[in-house]
Amino acid sequence: MSRQKQVIAILVPVFNEEKVIPLFFERIAPVIDQLATEFTPHLIFLNNASTDRSVDVITEIRRNHPDVYLLSLAKNVGYQRSIEFGLRHSTADIFMFIDVDCEDPPEMLLQFIQHYKDGYDVVYGERVDRIEVASIKFLRKVFYRLMRALADEDIILDMAEFSLMTNEVREAVIQDTSSFPFIRASIARVGFKRKGIPYRRDKRIAGETHYNFWGMLLFAIGGILSSGTWLLRLATYCLPLWVAAMAGLGILANTGSAPWAFTWMIVLGFAYCGSVLSFLSIYLARTYKNTLGRPNAFLDRKRSFPQALPRTASVGPAHPFAAREEGSGFELR
């Protein structure tokens, strides 16, 4: 009796990538063929409410490749929430993340699997270089090291979501019910045996990036807020300095030797209190949203294909979605 192959779910976020998807599939198809000799790979596109022909292009690919799946979200919820949705609502023995633009080379997935077979629970691409303006690369390096310094728990330097994780790691990661998910921080937080593979990120193969400076700034702020409470504790660290400064200005104001001292006392007082209230408001808002327990994304069933296509020869391996809806053959939890 032959041993059943382990299932691999390759999760691919997509947003308005109609030009890129066919080129990506050409690159990843040989990789899937190699994986299929030992595993049962499933390619799962996570459509983040695309407004172009991305769904049509994926549908065309699916007609000739029954193990290609599509989950379309009801609205654009952002990159992190879309991959979190895919992770929560798919089942497999091994999970992989890769972007559709091929900036992360699909061929590296074979290296991920090799290290998985060596006993690693998490294998990830370590971005040591990329084709980018030097100033932006410098800011990225500074950001990751700043985030690690400010984080309450472990942060893996130069890691992105381009990675492999076992189902055991996935089960640990999805215990995080944050309404502001940050997958790479969650992977670092849960631990397990990890392996980083250094590589140089390539240029996008086609189309235009949806990631601008404003998006990078929001991502950086979200990453810092999700990874630690340093900003919340900053007021306590600064309190002795603030008290000393206010006392010194008060003495100067009372002696009459510095008429400007009273003005600066007002400015410094409002600045400190305003900062404290701002940080408290941000963390309180996040805490409130987290306690509501609302799902971060919803499935658009009319534009999704979570079931395997019928096979003419024999019944294929189990598709990557467990069954709960009676008669449907799959489950979206």
Side-chain angles (χ1 to χ4, degrees), residues 156-175:
I156 306 172
L157 288 178
D158 301 318
M159 176 192 181
E161 282 68 35
F162 180 41
S163 60
L164 171 152
M165 70 175 71
T166 63
N167 185 53
E168 185 178 15
V169 177
R170 175 254 186 191
E171 291 292 335
V173 168
I174 63 175
Q175 295 300 313

Side-chain angles (χ1 to χ4, degrees), residues 53-315:
R53 295 188 61 258
S54 293
V55 171
D56 297 332
V57 173
I58 295 170
T59 302
E60 285 295 321
I61 294 174
R62 177 178 162 83
R63 287 174 181 168
N64 297 317
H65 302 275
D67 288 326
V68 171
Y69 303 85
L70 172 63
L71 295 183
S72 291
L73 305 186
K75 70 174 184 178
N76 188 338
V77 295
Y79 180 83
Q80 291 291 326
R81 289 187 178 98
S82 68
I83 60 177
E84 184 221 23
F85 182 88
L87 197 61
R88 286 186 181 278
H89 295 85
S90 56
T91 58
D93 301 294
I94 305 164
F95 295 84
M96 293 179 173
F97 289 118
I98 185 169
D99 290 347
V100 74
D101 56 18
C102 286
E103 291 185 10
D104 302 320
E107 295 77 14
M108 276 187 65
L109 297 181
L110 298 175
Q111 297 182 49
F112 288 0
I113 282 293
Q114 187 56 55
H115 289 295
Y116 160 75
K117 290 191 288 187
D118 291 339
Y120 288 94
D121 304 297
V122 176
V123 186
Y124 62 93
E126 182 182 347
R127 295 174 177 174
V128 296
D129 195 12
R130 64 172 73 205
I131 302 173
E132 201 171 44
V133 179
S135 58
I136 298 296
K137 287 197 288 187
F138 173 75
L139 289 175
R140 287 184 187 276
K141 291 285 186 182
V142 170
F143 162 68
Y144 285 119
R145 281 144 187 82
L146 176 64
M147 187 170 68
R148 187 174 192 178
L150 301 182
D152 293 342
E153 298 181 282
D154 187 22
I155 291 292
I156 306 172
L157 288 178
D158 301 318
M159 176 192 181
E161 282 68 35
F162 180 41
S163 60
L164 171 152
M165 70 175 71
T166 63
N167 185 53
E168 185 178 15
V169 177
R170 175 254 186 191
E171 291 292 335
V173 168
I174 63 175
Q175 295 300 313
D176 191 342
T177 57
S178 172
S179 56
F180 301 89
F182 192 45
I183 300 300
R184 67 184 72 172
S186 296
I187 292 174
R189 180 179 60 83
V190 300
F192 294 92
K193 189 177 180 181
R194 300 190 297 250
K195 173 72 175 180
I197 303 177
Y199 77 106
R200 183 174 186 266
R201 209 169 192 216
D202 296 328
K203 288 181 63 176
R204 163 181 277 269
I205 55 174
E208 297 181 358
T209 182
H210 308 292
Y211 208 46
N212 52 30
F213 178 78
W214 178 248
M216 287 190 287
L217 180 61
L218 291 178
F219 174 79
I221 295 172
I224 291 173
L225 292 175
S226 298
S227 303
T229 57
W230 187 84
L231 291 176
L232 197 60
R233 291 180 275 114
L234 181 61
T236 303
Y237 300 151
C238 294
L239 182 61
L241 294 176
W242 180 74
V243 170
M246 292 293 283
L249 290 171
I251 293 172
L252 291 175
N254 287 329
T255 60
S257 59
W260 46 264
F262 184 72
T263 301
W264 276 104
M265 284 184 67
I266 296 175
V267 172
L268 189 59
F270 276 111
Y272 181 82
C273 294
S275 299
V276 171
L277 287 175
S278 297
F279 294 144
L280 282 173
S281 298
I282 291 171
Y283 279 97
L284 182 61
R286 285 184 162 240
T287 302
Y288 168 72
K289 291 199 71 174
N290 289 341
T291 55
L292 290 176
R294 293 171 176 170
N296 288 327
F298 295 92
L299 182 74
D300 182 352
R301 293 180 181 271
K302 293 180 180 178
R303 305 178 72 203
S304 300
F305 303 104
Q307 285 181 296
L309 289 177
R311 296 173 178 271
T312 56
S314 60
V315 177

Side-chain angles (χ1 to χ4, degrees), residues 3-73:
R3 184 171 63 89
Q4 187 175 7
K5 293 181 178 179
Q6 289 183 306
V7 175
I8 299 176
I10 305 173
L11 304 175
V12 187
V14 170
F15 175 66
N16 289 350
E17 299 284 10
E18 60 178 325
K19 297 179 181 178
V20 177
I21 293 169
L23 302 176
F24 166 78
F25 190 75
E26 287 181 12
R27 285 277 301 273
I28 202 168
V31 175
I32 291 175
D33 289 341
Q34 292 189 55
L35 292 174
T37 60
E38 297 182 70
F39 302 90
T40 300
H42 295 289
L43 187 63
I44 306 173
F45 287 100
L46 306 172
N47 171 38
N48 204 357
S50 296
T51 56
D52 64 355
R53 295 188 61 258
S54 293
V55 171
D56 297 332
V57 173
I58 295 170
T59 302
E60 285 295 321
I61 294 174
R62 177 178 162 83
R63 287 174 181 168
N64 297 317
H65 302 275
D67 288 326
V68 171
Y69 303 85
L70 172 63
L71 295 183
S72 291
L73 305 186

